[in-house]
Amino acid sequence: MPAADADDVRSVKDWLARWQPSVRAADYEAARALFDEGVVSFGTHRDVVSGLDALEQGQWRNVWGRIDGFAWDFDAMHVGFSPDRLLAFLATTWTSVGYHEDGGSFHRPGRTTAILSRPDPGADWSCIHTHFSLYPGTPPRSFGPRIDDGQGTGGSGPAA
């Protein structure tokens, strides 16, 4: 794999930084703008999800409105690029706060990989694949004080 250009690495970190507030606010429309319509994903709630609508409905809406404090670990991020710089991958960890059914909170760490593509080296990245997993031993479900109101606002509850 060729050495990563600093501008390319920064562009991937910028893409990830644009996604983070969408997760925190359960802003599905903003997140959708960062993804390809044909995205294929793995996650906590679905084994394989194909297509952006299915990803939003089957994964994002089952998680984002039920957690708080979501944050990527940018310092732990690994990035790689295809020789033509049109395909990139990232692997990093993240943290969030989950909630037991009784309302008690728990540390909810995990890791993710993403594959990004773009039509030319100066274009914005679009995500074509993600894989999320919780650290072993982390409760697989968060009941959350926030409830998704269907409007992408994440409902009410503690600020993330």
Side-chain angles (χ1 to χ4, degrees), residues 15-129:
W15 179 88
L16 196 61
R18 288 193 313 272
W19 189 15
Q20 182 169 285
S22 299
V23 176
R24 287 177 156 232
D27 184 347
Y28 307 111
E29 284 304 311
R32 288 178 68 93
L34 301 170
F35 283 76
D36 186 84
E37 284 291 330
V39 64
V40 175
S41 185
F42 301 101
T44 308
H45 290 275
R46 299 288 183 266
D47 289 335
V48 178
V49 178
S50 182
L52 188 52
D53 290 339
L55 178 58
E56 178 184 333
Q57 294 301 318
Q59 183 65 33
W60 295 351
R61 288 186 180 268
N62 286 312
V63 177
W64 295 1
R66 292 169 178 84
I67 62 171
D68 282 311
F70 183 87
W72 300 109
D73 183 349
F74 290 96
D75 294 334
M77 188 171 87
H78 297 271
V79 181
F81 299 88
S82 63
D84 63 6
R85 301 172 43 226
L86 301 181
L87 195 67
F89 78 86
L90 68 88
T92 194
T93 56
W94 47 266
T95 60
S96 64
V97 175
Y99 297 93
H100 297 290
E101 200 165 6
D102 67 5
S105 64
F106 62 89
H107 181 60
R108 188 177 175 277
R111 57 248 164 147
T112 194
T113 56
I115 299 173
L116 311 175
S117 69
R118 60 187 178 182
D120 64 71
D124 290 334
W125 292 108
S126 182
C127 187
I128 59 173
H129 173 73

